Amino acid sequence: PNDWRVLHDALQDETRVVGMYGADHAVYHALAEVKAGTLLEGLRGERSARAANLLSHGSEAPEWSVPSLSEHLRDPRTQKQWEKIASLDPYGMWAARPTISATMACMQIPEILPNLHRDGRIVNDDRSINCVKVAIEPVWHLASIANRIRCGLDELRRALFIWTKIPEILDPNRDLFLPSIGGTTVYIFGDLSAIHDSRRTLALRPHDECSGSDAFGTDICTCRPYLTYAIQKGVEAAQRNGCGLIAYFRKEGRALGEVTKFRVYNLRRYQAGGDRPETYFAMTKKIAGVVDARAQELMPDVFHWLGISTIDTLLSMSKDKYEAITQSGGIRVANRDSLPESMVPAGAHTEISAKISSGYLGFQPGRTEDNSARRAVFTLESVRERCNKMLTLAMKDKLQHFQVDMSRVDDVTSIVVDCMRRHHPELAIPGHSRLRHFEVNGYDRIAELEARWKRFHVDSLERTRREIDLIVVSVLLDAGAGPAWKYTDHSGGGRAVARSEGLALASLDMFRNGLFSSATECTQRVDSIGLRALKLSDLERGFQVNESNELVGVQGRFSMLQRLAKALENSPEFYGSPQGLFRPGHLVDYILKHAYSHTQRVSVRVLWQALMDSMISVFPDGSKLGFGDAYRYPALAPGSSSYDDVVPFHKLAQWLAYSLVEPLSDLGIQFVDLWLLTGLAEYRNGGLLLDSKVIKPRNPQRVLTQVFTIDDPVVIEWRALTVALLDKTAISVWDRLGMTERELPMSKILEGGTWRAGRELAFQLRENGTPPIAVDSRGDVF
């Protein structure tokens, strides 16, 4: 704990101080002093006789005080929080050279004028807003700063010397620093006494300066819209006998500055594939070396100064700010209010999508276990990162079984674009989803099922649950069927349908006939009791298996459904219900709980983490290491004793995620970061790249004739290169068509382009359209 009374006295006599009063204006004071030809004693911080006399009598000079604020600051309940402060002098309003001052003001914000209620107290007849505004200049206690950012004091002093060139900063006897940086302005609406009254509301926004948006209304970010929205909410809290507060921090461009910020804007705009959420933070790091320089750990000090221990409504979606307030600051946050969708500028969707994905609104996915190195194997980021490392090895000609010819990516792009234009001339391509397989022969069976449910007055939420029930089971049954098996579609005129489409229709008929449900009154659903009651013979009959129509891996498919039943019951947070029923479809209820505001925006990480946490035991574990669809490849990280040599694909989980996104989106849920999902490491996409000679086997005689297990290095290399090269192909497709990732996401490129083109090319080159590399399947290799 800091005794700021002692530190404040030291600040007055400057015995332990380095730096100069005036913060970011100090150099202008120097110029003004030269021009005036006289010492500006007040700005320098030199004690005047008048100020000394006032302070000796416990008084304060009227020019820097507001009585109501002074009364609040002298309250012992307020000062109780001051020992936590590291970056400002809480007694600064009563100093010889003040570092804090306050005044009364009226504020007019055009955007919110129509929404304000004129009460004559907070809002005047002309809809101007009465407020107190407080200016705070920074005063750093170096030892407390070091402790707050978790570094050594000597380390902090050295870093500050490098960046300020002030030699006195290295003096261990000088522990107070007046940095030449922008300060903080606090705008207060209503009665500050509400801070100490649990029956009254405090609405608060910490806002970091963004002059382009805040002052000039540029639309690349949401800064001004959120600021004006927070002012309105703060005023409304004040009118309910509470208090509203805006803390405005001078930290332009995440404290990286406008020059850096504008360079980042250009890098985002002109990168290959255009501005898109998945590279939003990477572009900043590419220029600045870091994503953010704001040191948010210091931000709660202004709230400690005001004696705040609880914030009833925090008007911020930022994960970093929330954690700084609650963890570093120890301040309780009761509720959070996010920016309405209608206030997001058209040019800011890249920003807000990237931020929601990274943890906006405080969402942090659950963790599968404590070991972070092992945990990384289960993330979407690791799929892309490690597959790209494999591509880098290939480009250095360091893979054992394959080489790559990047000059042929342009040829693949032509194949993909031609395929997309032939099947979808207007490029109105649906997403890559299991639902497409129910539309075989031009007959939309899901639409028919939906229409039937509507006739029986099943509401939209329950219809979505049922669709998810079906998709989960159908995807799990979608392993390779083998070249001989076919399904006779009696509802489609008795046609024989093979491969994925046949498996899809078989699963649909089993679902419609109640094979996966325990309830006679609701047969068209999936629940754990129904799955447990399922027999192997039921599944064989559902797939029309007989001696002349053998299906590869029926036992493997049956075992997977049994594991699904257990997983549903072991994960009540995702699949449970108050009635004790465990269904895949209850996942929609979990997603809705995590959606951002009434707009139902949500990160795909919410869906992904639910699948990883609950179904890793269901998905095939080809590595036998508990990783699911992830495999060791020692050459990726030679000598590693950790998990850095594991290459994850999680193809089945991603295929399931892509498939679930469609019904969830139809319900109104908006996934803002679908770009995190990668291209799928499966044989149609991989076949396209191999058949078009982007990927070239070193030993074609062996690679193209033998059968390999899923964990064989040949298969690992092929699949990893497929994932990485699909990203390269997507960027090339966007540039060729003059489209962006938002207009043509990976899901549509897979559906209308790479997957379909891979299948067409396979049928041109090989009988029955078999893949170029044979992988052993026992009903659980996808």
Side-chain angles (χ1 to χ4, degrees):
N2 291 326
D3 188 344
W4 272 100
R5 288 169 297 189
V6 174
L7 295 174
H8 174 76
D9 291 340
L11 190 64
Q12 301 312 295
D13 60 30
E14 300 190 22
T15 55
R16 296 157 56 181
V17 180
V18 60
M20 189 63 195
Y21 285 103
D24 54 342
H25 296 98
V27 294
Y28 291 109
H29 299 166
L31 298 182
E33 192 170 78
V34 169
K35 291 174 67 177
T38 184
L39 295 180
L40 304 179
E41 296 177 349
L43 291 176
R44 281 175 174 265
E46 296 176 8
R47 187 189 298 267
S48 66
R50 175 172 171 271
N53 181 60
L54 287 167
L55 291 167
S56 66
H57 291 87
S59 302
E60 54 197 34
E63 70 265 22
W64 57 68
S65 172
V66 171
S68 61
L69 176 62
S70 296
E71 181 183 354
H72 177 76
L73 293 175
R74 293 186 185 280
D75 188 325
R77 293 175 296 177
T78 301
Q79 296 189 9
K80 185 178 179 181
Q81 305 291 329
W82 288 4
E83 64 182 19
K84 302 176 182 177
I85 292 174
S87 61
L88 62 90
D89 175 12
Y91 296 93
M93 202 163 67
W94 305 312
R97 190 322 192 162
T99 55
I100 300 174
S101 67
T103 189
M104 306 290 291
C106 281
M107 175 188 294
Q108 285 196 327
I109 307 296
E111 296 96 317
I112 65 174
L113 285 178
N115 304 327
L116 298 177
H117 169 66
R118 291 173 287 191
D119 63 355
R121 182 175 64 92
I122 306 299
V123 179
N124 301 312
D125 288 344
D126 62 354
R127 289 195 169 88
S128 61
I129 303 164
N130 293 319
C131 65
V132 172
K133 56 182 182 180
V134 186
I136 304 172
E137 291 180 356
V139 178
W140 287 9
H141 180 232
L142 292 175
S144 299
I145 296 288
N147 182 62
R148 189 75 62 82
I149 67 171
R150 298 182 180 180
C151 75
L153 179 56
D154 290 342
E155 181 185 3
L156 174 64
R157 289 183 184 275
R158 284 194 298 272
L160 288 172
F161 171 69
I162 290 170
W163 282 92
T164 66
K165 303 302 181 186
I166 301 174
E168 291 84 0
I169 201 77
L170 298 172
D171 184 349
N173 296 313
R174 296 177 180 259
D175 56 355
L176 289 169
F177 178 39
L178 301 175
S180 295
I181 59 175
T184 304
T185 306
V186 181
Y187 295 85
I188 302 165
F189 314 105
D191 187 355
L192 278 169
S193 67
I195 288 173
H196 298 311
D197 188 343
S198 61
R199 297 166 299 179
R200 297 156 71 190
T201 298
L202 172 64
L204 180 156
R205 173 165 174 78
H207 187 95
D208 294 321
E209 179 182 34
C210 175
S211 60
S213 176
D214 296 343
F216 297 99
T218 55
D219 75 342
I220 199 169
C221 64
T222 58
C223 295
R224 180 177 174 88
Y226 215 154
L227 178 59
T228 58
Y229 178 71
I231 291 171
Q232 178 184 326
K233 292 299 178 182
V235 167
E236 291 171 358
Q239 291 180 319
R240 296 192 300 270
N241 198 30
C243 182
L245 193 149
I246 305 291
Y248 194 89
F249 299 90
R250 298 315 193 285
K251 297 178 183 178
E252 179 67 60
R254 300 191 208 126
L256 296 168
E258 275 197 319
V259 170
T260 297
K261 182 165 77 169
F262 291 177
R263 291 169 64 202
V264 171
Y265 286 167
N266 287 337
L267 194 61
R268 284 170 50 191
R269 183 174 291 115
Y270 299 122
Q271 66 180 309
D275 189 17
R276 53 193 194 275
E278 65 266 35
T279 59
Y280 176 84
F281 292 108
M283 294 298 100
T284 304
K285 191 170 185 178
K286 191 170 185 178
I287 285 181
V290 294
V291 169
D292 197 314
R294 285 176 287 188
Q296 296 289 17
E297 299 94 331
L298 308 183
M299 175 261 291
D301 279 353
V302 68
F303 308 138
H304 294 317
W305 176 64
L306 291 168
I308 295 171
S309 58
T310 297
I311 299 170
D312 298 289
T313 302
L314 177 64
L315 291 142
S316 172
M317 298 182 293
S318 167
K319 172 177 69 72
D320 293 338
K321 290 179 181 177
Y322 176 78
E323 290 180 351
I325 290 169
T326 58
Q327 296 177 19
S328 296
I331 297 171
R332 176 178 171 269
V333 173
N335 300 288
R336 299 175 71 184
D337 194 349
S338 53
L339 182 67
E341 176 78 8
S342 60
M343 296 184 72
V344 177
H349 283 281
T350 294
E351 177 210 57
I352 201 165
S353 295
K355 287 183 175 180
I356 291 175
S357 173
S358 71
Y360 236 40
L361 202 56
F363 168 72
Q364 283 293 298
R367 302 303 188 188
T368 52
E369 59 172 273
D370 292 333
N371 187 313
S372 59
R374 181 181 172 90
R375 184 172 68 235
V377 175
F378 298 96
T379 66
L380 286 167
E381 290 88 343
S382 69
V383 177
R384 184 167 271 115
E385 174 199 352
R386 298 191 188 184
C387 289
N388 274 306
K389 286 183 177 179
M390 295 287 281
L391 177 59
T392 299
L393 289 176
M395 293 173 70
K396 294 178 179 178
D397 203 23
K398 291 184 177 180
L399 288 188
Q400 182 180 356
H401 301 287
F402 293 98
Q403 297 172 304
V404 294
D405 184 350
M406 298 303 292
S407 69
R408 289 188 172 270
V409 171
D410 196 56
D411 296 335
V412 171
T413 302
S414 297
I415 294 170
V416 170
V417 169
D418 174 70
C419 180
M420 292 164 69
R421 289 201 180 280
R422 278 188 289 107
H423 293 281
H424 305 279
E426 304 299 321
L427 297 181
I429 305 170
H432 197 49
S433 167
R434 183 59 163 163
L435 295 176
R436 302 289 80 76
H437 295 159
F438 299 125
E439 299 166 0
V440 66
N441 297 324
Y443 173 25
D444 191 342
R445 295 157 181 81
I446 299 300
E448 180 188 61
L449 200 58
E450 286 263 355
R452 183 175 186 276
W453 291 337
K454 285 181 181 179
R455 287 197 300 272
F456 284 89
H457 307 293
V458 179
D459 64 38
S460 60
L461 182 58
E462 175 58 23
R463 293 198 303 271
T464 304
R465 291 190 189 110
R466 293 183 184 186
E467 203 167 333
I468 290 174
D469 282 345
L470 168 62
I471 289 170
V472 169
V473 167
S474 189
V475 166
L476 293 178
L477 293 173
D478 187 33
W485 178 85
K486 291 180 174 57
Y487 184 75
T488 302
D489 179 23
H490 296 293
S491 64
R495 296 183 183 182
V497 185
R499 300 191 180 276
S500 283
E501 288 87 345
L503 294 168
L505 298 186
S507 65
L508 175 59
D509 284 344
M510 286 186 272
F511 173 81
R512 284 193 291 209
N513 294 331
L515 198 64
F516 310 122
S517 173
S518 64
T520 55
E521 73 280 3
C522 183
T523 57
Q524 293 178 355
R525 76 178 188 203
V526 178
D527 60 65
S528 61
I529 299 173
L531 291 172
R532 286 186 181 281
L534 187 70
K535 297 182 177 63
L536 177 61
S537 58
D538 297 328
L539 203 61
E540 290 175 329
R541 188 162 48 253
F543 280 121
Q544 300 175 354
V545 173
N546 55 49
E547 291 181 358
S548 61
N549 191 38
E550 293 185 356
L551 173 66
V552 172
V554 181
Q555 178 63 56
R557 298 170 208 270
F558 175 75
S559 298
M560 202 176 306
L561 293 184
Q562 295 304 298
R563 296 198 299 273
L564 173 61
K566 185 176 180 180
L568 295 176
E569 294 172 355
N570 286 342
S571 302
E573 67 272 32
F574 306 127
Y575 308 113
S577 70
Q579 295 76 31
L581 188 69
F582 299 92
R583 293 174 58 186
H586 287 147
L587 188 60
V588 65
D589 302 274
Y590 174 79
I591 300 294
L592 286 170
K593 289 177 185 176
H594 287 75
Y596 150 44
S597 186
H598 60 281
T599 64
Q600 296 186 358
R601 282 176 172 260
V602 71
S603 170
V604 77
R605 297 172 197 267
V606 179
L607 172 61
W608 180 254
Q609 200 63 57
L611 296 178
M612 285 289 99
D613 282 354
S614 64
M615 290 201 179
I616 197 65
S617 62
V618 180
F619 299 142
D621 182 21
S623 68
K624 304 298 186 290
L625 296 171
F627 295 141
D629 189 15
Y631 310 88
R632 286 197 181 277
Y633 187 83
L636 185 65
S640 172
S641 59
S642 183
Y643 302 97
D644 296 334
D645 63 347
V646 176
V647 185
F649 303 108
H650 303 305
K651 184 266 174 180
L652 178 57
Q654 293 204 69
W655 174 226
L656 179 55
Y658 273 123
S659 300
L660 293 176
V661 161
E662 188 165 329
L664 291 168
S665 298
D666 289 344
L667 189 64
I669 295 170
Q670 299 181 61
F671 290 98
V672 299
D673 49 5
L674 289 174
W675 41 266
L676 285 171
L677 296 169
T678 72
L680 298 182
E682 52 84 53
Y683 67 87
R684 290 306 185 198
N685 294 319
L688 169 69
L689 294 163
L690 203 148
D691 287 336
S692 60
K693 296 181 172 52
V694 178
I695 301 174
K696 297 181 177 181
R698 292 184 183 276
N699 184 350
Q701 183 62 33
R702 175 175 180 264
V703 169
L704 302 180
T705 60
Q706 294 185 13
V707 178
F708 299 95
T709 58
I710 192 68
D711 60 343
D712 191 284
V714 168
V715 179
I716 296 170
E717 289 184 13
W718 180 36
R719 298 180 78 198
L721 292 176
T722 296
V723 171
L725 288 166
L726 284 172
D727 276 347
K728 303 293 185 186
T729 303
I731 292 172
S732 183
V733 168
W734 294 328
D735 287 345
R736 180 79 63 89
L737 294 174
M739 300 178 74
T740 65
E741 185 273 339
R742 192 175 175 196
E743 295 168 319
L744 191 69
M746 177 65 81
S747 176
K748 294 186 177 184
I749 292 176
L750 293 173
E751 178 62 28
T754 59
W755 182 86
R756 186 181 292 272
R759 173 184 266 193
E760 290 178 350
L761 194 54
F763 274 95
Q764 292 172 22
L765 297 176
R766 289 174 295 278
E767 186 179 359
N768 295 324
T770 55
I773 298 176
V775 180
D776 184 27
S777 175
R778 296 181 178 85
D780 60 0
V781 172
F782 293 78

